[in-house]
Amino acid sequence: MLRRNADKPSERLERALEGGPIPHDADTRRALAAAGALAPGHVRSPARIQQTEDAMMAAFMRTLNPLESRDDAGTGDGLEETELYRTVIELPDGGEIIISDIEEITPDLLEESAELAAEILAHRSRDHLS
């Protein structure tokens, strides 16, 4: 009978750890607090661990087996057929601006660009004089 009484606190602790009712005696409460302090604060998700491992292995395999470069790479993609328009504008200070565009450059666009560039240069020269 003495043995049964000696095991009661451990039985109460086991029941409390398994999700049973929390006992009111001080010894069991202290043991529960100690067990709670030892428990990890968060659990790693197995799915996230697997995702991370898969991403690392894919990057490793790409490093080991890089894609072969083709001799005809870039042909047939339509980029070399694009016509580029290019115009050089002389600025009042003796500089020049080169304007390039994939659309045709109009005189209005040239005038607007020249005015904008002159304005920027005027601001810069005032900043340097200050």
Side-chain angles (χ1 to χ4, degrees):
M1 185 121 184
L2 288 174
R3 175 94 172 130
R4 183 162 173 79
N5 287 338
D7 287 339
K8 272 204 172 232
S10 63
E11 289 173 8
R12 285 187 299 230
L13 178 61
E14 282 183 40
R15 265 186 275 134
L17 288 173
E18 290 173 356
I22 298 175
H24 295 288
D25 65 297
D27 289 338
T28 307
R29 285 186 170 274
R30 279 193 293 263
L32 280 175
L38 294 175
H42 68 281
V43 179
R44 295 177 58 196
S45 165
R48 296 283 288 165
I49 293 170
Q50 187 62 45
Q51 272 182 326
T52 303
E53 183 179 330
D54 291 346
M56 289 183 342
M57 288 306 294
F60 178 69
M61 294 308 291
R62 279 193 305 272
T63 303
L64 285 181
N65 305 313
L67 294 175
E68 293 181 22
S69 60
R70 299 185 341 241
D71 293 334
D72 64 340
T75 59
D77 57 8
L79 292 177
E80 69 274 354
E81 293 126 18
T82 303
E83 185 177 353
L84 292 177
Y85 297 93
R86 182 173 187 263
T87 304
V88 179
I89 301 173
E90 298 293 328
L91 295 176
D93 295 343
E96 62 182 26
I97 295 179
I98 301 172
I99 298 180
S100 299
D101 202 343
I102 58 173
E103 296 179 2
E104 189 172 350
I105 299 171
T106 62
D108 293 336
L109 177 64
L110 290 175
E111 187 177 319
E112 185 180 322
S113 298
E115 288 173 6
L116 183 60
E119 191 176 308
I120 291 171
L121 290 173
H123 279 298
R124 282 192 178 172
S125 66
R126 275 188 266 153
D127 289 342
H128 289 291
L129 294 176
S130 300

